[in-house]
Amino acid sequence: MDKKYVYLFSEGNGDMKPLLGGKGANLAEMTNLGMPVPQGFTITTEACTKYWDDGERILPEICDEIFGYITALEGLTGKKFGDTDNPLLVSVRSGARASMPGMMDTILNLGLNEEVTESIARRSGNPRWAWDCFRRFIQMYSDVVCEVSKKAFESKIDDMKRLRGVRDDTELSSDDLRELAAQFMDEFKASQNTDFPVDARSQLLGAIKAVFKSWNNERAIVYRRENNIPGSWGTAVNVQEMVFGNMGDDSGTGVAFTRDPATGERKLFGEFLMNAQGEDVVAGIRTPQSIDRLAKIMPDVYAQFVSISDKLERHYRNMQDMEFTIEKGKLYMLQTRDGKRTPNAALKVAVDLYNEKMRTRDEALTLIDANSFDAVLHPVFEEDALKAAVPVARGLNASPGAGCGAVCFTAEDAVERSAREPVLLVRLETSPEDLAGMYAAQGILTARGGASSHAAVVARGAGICCVSGCGDLIIDEADRSLNIAGHIVREGEYMSINGTTGNVYLGKIPTADPDLTGDFSTVMRWADEVRRLKVRANADTSRDAAKALELGAEGIGLTRTEHMFFADDRIPAIREMIVSNSAEQRRAALDKLLPLQRGDFADIYRVMLDRPVTIRLLDPPLHEFLPHTDKDIRALAADMSPLYDGLRGTLTGKGLRVSDEVWQNLLFEDLKSTVRGLHETNPMMGHRGCRLPVTYPEIAQMQTRAIIEAAIDVREETGADIAPEIMIPLVCEAKELRFVKDIVTGTADAIIAERGVGLRYHVGTMIEIPRAALLADEIAIQAEFFSFGTNDLTQMTFGFSRDDAVKFLPAYYSNNIFESDPFQRLDRSGVGKLVKMAAELGKSARPDIKLGICGEHGGDPSSIEFCHGAGLDYVSCSPYRVPTARLAAAQAAIRGGSGSGK
Amino acid sequence: MDKKYVYLFSEGNGDMKPLLGGKGANLAEMTNLGMPVPQGFTITTEACTKYWDDGERILPEICDEIFGYITALEGLTGKKFGDTDNPLLVSVRSGARASMPGMMDTILNLGLNEEVTESIARRSGNPRWAWDCFRRFIQMYSDVVCEVSKKAFESKIDDMKRLRGVRDDTELSSDDLRELAAQFMDEFKASQNTDFPVDARSQLLGAIKAVFKSWNNERAIVYRRENNIPGSWGTAVNVQEMVFGNMGDDSGTGVAFTRDPATGERKLFGEFLMNAQGEDVVAGIRTPQSIDRLAKIMPDVYAQFVSISDKLERHYRNMQDMEFTIEKGKLYMLQTRDGKRTPNAALKVAVDLYNEKMRTRDEALTLIDANSFDAVLHPVFEEDALKAAVPVARGLNASPGAGCGAVCFTAEDAVERSAREPVLLVRLETSPEDLAGMYAAQGILTARGGASSHAAVVARGAGICCVSGCGDLIIDEADRSLNIAGHIVREGEYMSINGTTGNVYLGKIPTADPDLTGDFSTVMRWADEVRRLKVRANADTSRDAAKALELGAEGIGLTRTEHMFFADDRIPAIREMIVSNSAEQRRAALDKLLPLQRGDFADIYRVMLDRPVTIRLLDPPLHEFLPHTDKDIRALAADMSPLYDGLRGTLTGKGLRVSDEVWQNLLFEDLKSTVRGLHETNPMMGHRGCRLPVTYPEIAQMQTRAIIEAAIDVREETGADIAPEIMIPLVCEAKELRFVKDIVTGTADAIIAERGVGLRYHVGTMIEIPRAALLADEIAIQAEFFSFGTNDLTQMTFGFSRDDAVKFLPAYYSNNIFESDPFQRLDRSGVGKLVKMAAELGKSARPDIKLGICGEHGGDPSSIEFCHGAGLDYVSCSPYRVPTARLAAAQAAIRGGSGSGK
């Protein structure tokens, strides 16, 4: 039997999301539940995949199948597609398996042309409605199918409003709209060199192709990358009989949530516009009314809607996000889906659904999006500072949290500046083109749009605070300045916004940590009950360690010893160590570093006490520490000149006069040439990691001494059973590890014997070089633990460096070669294969080997799921990601993630 | 039963080389054959390995076993170890599984002390001999066991000779030698703070330990690396009753080969010294006599030796290298082993042994050392130039071939300068410390030493030409100059030497290719009959291609298209391409490159005709081509200024006056910032390979056009069935390969359709990124062939770049972490694992996939053996390595190399 590419709503059901997309499956489900849904059919996601495989063509047999379903729909509705007398008008909407709000395209009122519009204008007695529909259709079709710029159309509407002296679209007359439709068709012809299509079937095919095509538009690709949605899924297309919210004052359209998506509170939350079509609500052009108002305007319709929304929430056992239209007093449901919510709302909804007995503990845990979860840890304004601050304006509290940053007016600027400082993106309104800039910002402030506007939806999803629809805000993009209630703020100056209240402030307001009790602690407790993976943190200081502990870390998975060296008072000693000409000079410099390192480690032990602390030996290329300017080199040469006093003495002893200036110059020149000699062509693949102690064993000796002595000291001081884990980085060969391990154990054992104590310690290695993963069985013989350094492992496995890949990765995303950033989400098929291989080989040689991960992937939910499946013992991530990791580890355990999928 | 660590010679045999070492096994075999061998025993290689495993200790039970065998030897000889009256004196010599001449240590006359020497001086009536033995023993023991510098002893001998007014050691009297022995013991005490050991057993244990220890001395490690000998093998130690060549004029010692090791000619070849001990012959201190002379001096001994050497050659079915000593007219055999020979001699010996029916064809092939085989291709002087040249001096023709280079006086200088230009190493005599410098030189010239001197042996083994013992050469190392027959030559000036004749010339003499007929062509014919692997060459020009064809290449495995761009007349166009601000500008620049590339490819096709030619798309980081100095940037800006005439016109059109200077400056600044923007942190892991066409498809389009158009043109011109293989580099993902392949096939198919011809072409990829190897099944679906780029694959797998690794690899060698350079010899356990995985995955997805290798490993015999075992179809190497590869491929087939060993 041939494959079926089209399903009537009545043929599908809610479990068919992979095939019908979320929207299609839910429309089918609502149809089955007997709810008032305009009928239609869904073209499957497989048809989309096939469209791409067939070279962006819809094969004739699939066209035939579609037209067959148009005939069926004609039968259901008693209308005729393309007919002048009783035309069937349809909407064409995308609908992927995972909800991608606003990412892809929608066309309403399809089936109209001038003649049909004339006819329905006459027959409906509502010519304003008819011409409004037609002008909307031209606008959407031109934009979506033919990529005619929206601006041209919008400026024509603005011109017409100015001409007529009106403010709102609704105030334009039917003649105005008819005139606009004519102008729009001219614009289309001017831009496309062809007339606007009059044939309904070719309109339909054009629209379907455009939806398929929109699956791979730039913003959809960005969204998928941010939300871990595979490009192979494709989108379905829903073709549905039109119902009209713009037929007059007894018509309208709206969206609503069964609970408040910002707080999770259990009450109907939404907004609507009378005499409007769907896009008017989300586009933020007119400011909509709260859903409560509907109870006053149309009590019956409101009651029916409340009943339906209750039923839907109970049916799906989750907070629902619904779209509806009221046509001449009759309610139609256009969509329902699980509602996007803020991370805090997600917490509350999960706990409430559990308490309401709708969900089990494990189900409730999986309802929380681990990817945006760390937003619950986002700073709020410091209370005292906030009290002192006076808001200059107020907008809608569109996405909660506190945001403070340098003002940027375009997404590009925001992306660029965010590399240097926190930014606040300020826009008239946002559109999907702004996505990258929105993700880069600490907060988003818009002049227009409501709680369902693009800015609000995206910000909530990403856990970024947002104030939208701030009416007192006037933006002068060309001048790179804004005027907010009379205050001028220039690009780069700081502002602060409170997404929880909607308040807007000038300047910086200090932030404070959020409250981590209540629902947060409930969910964390659940997560800890469920998860198998331990969660540690990467922490280089006792401050980081304390924060990690507070957020639930069970140990330190990575302390980067080099980070301690960058401080101004320490860098001279490490520089001396690097440029030393002999082991003796090197030891002298290391002697200066020893007490500093010992102190740092002791501070960390004092925080962590009995908990495991993994300390990595010096890792980065030495030249990272070097002075690069002549001035710095000269300063270092002066610092080091006492080391050369003997030599100078030899010269002067032989009667040579050596002036201070000449001598300093000589040392400077020598040092400069040493620095030059340390230059590396590919520092990432250079003299670093365990290659340093292979060439300079003194470094590992000093670091081991600091680690062991500090442990003994703090054990004596606190009585805690401290057992440091010493980690050797960048190993590629078992004999190399053994060589460095021998230095470490030789030093450690001597100190322990000398101090006459029985300190335990462990020596392990990072697996971050492909060869180490390939030969992990040999390496495990020398290592008590493996920690996967997936940052470097990703670089080496892909053969590109993170620093350099920024130049070409955008082309990889836009050409659909990569779907996500392998540095953010662990590449399961390549890097993951190595990790699994290494885990298996390591266990084969040492069954009790401890396995962890300390790359940045350790805080990424998808990667954590992989780690669970690969049998690792723990993940380690930055302190603020610890709660996310606890949750993600629990979800992985619940889902039984094997980590083997893609 | 306990493991046996010691074997009497009579307990072993010639097959026990892994356990007894080469020397021990052959001493046992000669004992079994009834030859006159001084008796003794061998301490096994396992004892050496155990010594290292036990922390550089010989365990008491092994000491007991050794002393038990001393007792046995006392029984065999009737002498007593450490006895004053009838002392057993022994030699202690290393003997590894593979011959490592001069690499490790030997101690003669062990068992002597002052009292014993007094006694044997008296009892033998030959006090001169006795004291000569003792002073030699102190010298050797001090050097080998206690690392007392040799120089102190040598200068004492020189002082004594000066004091006595004599030239030769042999002219010193017994009193002189006794006095020297006393001075030597004082020197020992001064250096060691302890008396020279008098107890024979402690002498013996010290000597054995020193031999074990010498297994890991620096020069042994270097030698093993050069000769692919695993560090895990260890060395055996042979303890043998002394016989004395220094007992007077009826005594002597010598070495001889059964065939001429320089030419392979079948005649006894060797030299000897009367009244001398073994080290005198090889040390080159006295110049020895030819073995023929022995027939005159001691005809009976000579006849016996000839008979024994014939018997040994027939027994071992190979050319033998023997050591003998004559003690008071009686011949003793001290060693026999397969003789090292020049590559040309190896050819002749192999063919002769086959013709003499001693060896089959396959056996004969395996007798030739593939590692040094390409020396037979080494240049010889151009005949006309040689006729015109007048030698200024003559030395011994120690290793054949022509060598010409800048004079260096130390090994370090030679290594350093060889990076820039060919060098000639000029030394008084060489020692194992000079190894690295010798390997780096085009030729070696020494003032002292015979055909068996260190310089000669090493040079022959490595296929480097050498003239030794050049008496007219006076070296002033301090002045960095030499005087040769009155001509002064300073460091860095050129000289030429002919290792085949021994002639030495001033200045450069042009070289010409060697004769490749006769034995060479016989062996190559045999190899081609036997091998399964095809052999291709890496060639970037038609000239290289022609040379490759001449040397037997069956195709081109790699044409690097970027190499064509570095020429002065081409680099401006590629620079323009790189700095282009738009696809349009880029295309204009590429249009200039197209005819150049097409012409290059056409030239190569004309040479190769029907044979396969694999052309790789542009690979290196673009910035490699960029100008770096302001001057070059300014020149490029000027070249490109016409592209900006339009823009300038816009400015002037608006009434702005723009002077030439200002305009050029503006373009210069712009270009400079473009160049800066192209800088990469890790160029090896940057924007290169297939990442270039992903971002700039125009590049691949142009190159494909050039490849296809040239193929069509040359096919029409010659009628040859040309089917280019287009190779896409640096792939890490199947979708990436598909993206670039689509560009290639789209371009190629359009051209082929347009020209109306039926050209075949193939598209494949390099496997040089670990991820590509891990996912080779997915990649194979897109690739008709894989070519393993093992240079990059080695870099990524080990995580270090070749350029940067030079800083730390020496420490890896000296600490025995790496035994060979992974860029020269394919790392079987790590990189090899990836190669095998990729080969298997590739075949699983595409059974007829063609597999090759084009990294430098493609010319390395050990790596070729691996490729054979891994089931590759071909290797590709530089043209001059093609014969080596043909031979190595044949040897791999004969040995049935599975490639799975280490």
Side-chain angles (χ1 to χ4, degrees), chain A residues 460-477:
Chain A
R460 279 200 298 271
I464 302 161
C465 79
C466 175
V467 172
S468 68
C470 178
D472 287 335
L473 175 66
I474 302 161
I475 297 170
D476 185 345
E477 210 180 297

Side-chain angles (χ1 to χ4, degrees), chain B residues 410-637:
Chain B
T410 68
E412 296 70 43
D413 290 347
V415 168
E416 197 259 331
R417 188 181 281 263
S418 68
R420 307 191 304 272
E421 57 181 328
V423 301
L424 194 74
L425 180 65
V426 181
R427 300 282 288 156
L428 186 64
E429 56 192 318
T430 65
S431 67
E433 286 78 22
D434 294 329
L435 264 189
M438 297 169 79
Y439 286 127
Q442 303 299 305
I444 299 160
L445 172 63
T446 69
R448 290 211 293 217
S452 324
S453 67
H454 180 262
V457 170
V458 170
R460 277 200 300 270
I464 302 160
C465 79
C466 175
V467 171
S468 69
C470 178
D472 287 334
L473 175 65
I474 302 162
I475 298 171
D476 185 344
E477 212 180 295
D479 186 49
R480 311 239 143 191
S481 70
L482 62 82
N483 179 327
I484 188 157
H487 304 271
I488 303 293
V489 178
R490 306 204 61 82
E491 185 184 57
E493 292 177 4
Y494 272 67
M495 288 179 69
S496 303
I497 61 172
N498 187 338
T500 315
T501 61
N503 282 336
V504 180
Y505 305 85
L506 299 177
K508 290 190 198 178
I509 302 176
T511 53
D513 292 334
D515 176 37
L516 298 178
T517 56
D519 293 336
F520 176 83
S521 70
T522 303
V523 165
M524 287 290 95
R525 180 168 48 75
W526 288 350
D528 293 347
E529 286 164 11
V530 172
R531 68 189 160 90
R532 181 189 64 72
L533 278 173
K534 301 251 177 223
V535 176
R536 297 193 190 183
N538 300 348
D540 304 336
T541 63
S542 56
R543 200 171 149 273
D544 287 353
K547 170 54 75 180
L549 213 53
E550 184 195 331
L551 294 175
E554 295 161 286
I556 303 294
L558 174 64
T559 292
R560 284 165 288 230
T561 54
E562 59 269 19
H563 280 209
M564 303 170 175
F565 291 142
F566 279 110
D568 276 354
D569 57 332
R570 297 175 172 201
I571 201 157
I574 185 127
R575 286 179 172 168
E576 278 183 36
M577 191 271 285
I578 295 167
V579 301
S580 293
N581 288 319
S582 64
E584 195 181 311
Q585 274 189 17
R586 199 170 301 114
R587 251 178 244 117
L590 286 165
D591 283 349
K592 296 187 197 170
L593 293 169
L594 173 65
L596 303 173
Q597 288 242 306
R598 193 169 44 213
D600 290 332
F601 297 147
D603 287 346
I604 291 176
Y605 296 142
R606 281 188 197 103
V607 170
M608 298 307 292
L609 299 173
D610 294 19
R611 296 175 189 84
V613 174
T614 308
I615 298 174
R616 181 177 72 185
L617 299 185
L618 196 64
D619 183 51
L622 288 182
H623 75 89
E624 273 192 17
F625 295 103
L626 282 179
H628 293 292
T629 65
D630 278 6
K631 196 181 144 214
D632 286 351
I633 295 173
R634 208 171 274 282
L636 181 59

Side-chain angles (χ1 to χ4, degrees), chain B residues 14-327:
Chain B
D15 295 332
M16 292 170 74
K17 281 186 186 165
L19 192 63
L20 303 181
K23 182 177 293 185
N26 286 334
L27 284 167
E29 190 77 5
M30 285 197 289
T31 300
N32 296 345
L33 290 170
M35 289 176 179
V37 175
Q39 283 308 290
F41 55 84
T42 304
I43 303 162
T44 65
T45 55
E46 290 176 352
C48 176
T49 314
K50 195 157 168 48
Y51 164 84
W52 286 99
D53 286 349
D54 291 338
E56 305 190 29
R57 289 184 313 137
I58 303 178
L59 297 188
E61 53 270 32
I62 300 182
C63 291
D64 287 349
E65 193 177 347
I66 292 168
F67 292 139
Y69 276 83
I70 282 287
T71 309
L73 190 56
E74 288 172 341
L76 284 174
T77 58
K79 297 175 180 171
K80 214 157 163 55
F81 196 52
D83 189 47
T84 319
D85 288 344
N86 185 22
L88 171 62
L89 302 183
V90 297
S91 65
V92 177
R93 287 179 223 242
S94 64
R97 186 160 157 184
S99 156
M100 295 169 66
M103 284 310 110
M104 288 174 304
D105 294 316
T106 292
I107 295 170
L108 302 181
N109 312 334
L110 189 140
L112 286 179
N113 58 30
E114 231 174 334
E115 195 188 349
V116 173
T117 309
E118 289 278 15
S119 160
I120 61 167
R122 204 170 49 238
R123 291 166 61 101
S124 68
N126 192 341
R128 197 200 165 283
W129 159 73
W131 290 107
D132 189 44
C133 285
F134 188 39
R135 71 92 191 164
R136 283 175 189 268
F137 172 54
I138 304 169
Q139 238 176 312
M140 282 188 265
Y141 191 91
S142 303
D143 171 32
V144 170
V145 181
C146 305
E147 296 175 36
V148 183
S149 155
K150 280 184 213 172
K151 291 220 170 128
F153 298 113
E154 279 163 11
S155 74
K156 286 193 196 326
I157 300 177
D158 287 346
D159 290 349
M160 182 64 77
K161 288 198 281 190
R162 209 173 304 116
L163 197 68
R164 300 292 177 243
V166 301
R167 234 195 91 185
D168 246 357
D169 297 2
T170 47
E171 296 171 80
L172 293 172
S173 72
S174 69
D175 284 346
D176 296 340
L177 294 167
R178 180 176 197 151
E179 166 64 22
L180 273 176
Q183 288 180 13
F184 284 6
M185 282 191 290
D186 290 347
E187 176 69 31
F188 183 92
K189 189 167 184 180
S191 146
Q192 301 295 301
N193 268 323
T194 178
D195 284 321
F196 190 81
V198 294
D199 175 56
R201 285 173 190 237
S202 59
Q203 288 175 355
L204 181 64
L205 288 182
I208 293 168
K209 275 188 211 166
V211 172
F212 284 160
K213 215 177 164 82
S214 73
W215 177 249
N216 280 323
N217 70 29
E218 197 77 26
R219 63 181 195 259
I221 288 172
V222 170
Y223 188 91
R224 286 205 295 271
R225 199 161 78 237
E226 292 287 343
N227 292 278
N228 303 340
I229 299 171
S232 59
W233 281 3
T235 183
V237 182
N238 298 291
V239 177
Q240 188 175 23
E241 185 194 3
M242 280 299 303
V243 289
F244 296 95
N246 59 340
M247 288 194 94
D249 292 339
D250 57 350
S251 299
T253 188
V255 299
F257 293 83
T258 55
R259 297 174 192 237
D260 185 335
T263 63
E265 198 189 338
R266 189 178 187 181
K267 63 158 195 193
L268 202 57
F269 178 92
E271 38 193 23
F272 69 100
L273 275 172
M274 295 310 283
N275 199 11
Q277 274 199 325
E279 79 272 21
D280 298 338
V281 181
V282 283
I285 293 169
R286 280 158 60 194
T287 300
Q289 294 180 283
S290 163
I291 191 79
D292 310 333
R293 289 274 306 150
L294 190 62
K296 307 240 159 66
I297 299 172
M298 303 182 106
D300 291 349
V301 169
Y302 182 73
Q304 188 192 0
F305 182 70
V306 168
S307 149
I308 286 174
S309 66
D310 279 356
K311 198 169 165 189
L312 284 171
E313 184 176 280
R314 281 196 316 275
H315 182 73
Y316 286 104
R317 300 186 300 138
N318 201 348
M319 184 242 265
Q320 292 299 296
D321 168 4
M322 301 154 295
E323 287 181 23
F324 62 92
T325 283
I326 306 163
E327 181 182 286

Side-chain angles (χ1 to χ4, degrees), chain A residues 679 736 771 807 812 827, chain B residues 679 736 771 807 812 827:
Chain A
H679 169 78
E736 179 187 39
R771 195 173 187 274
K807 291 194 184 158
Y812 277 69
D827 158 51
Chain B
H679 170 79
E736 177 187 39
R771 195 173 188 275
K807 290 192 185 157
Y812 277 68
D827 157 50

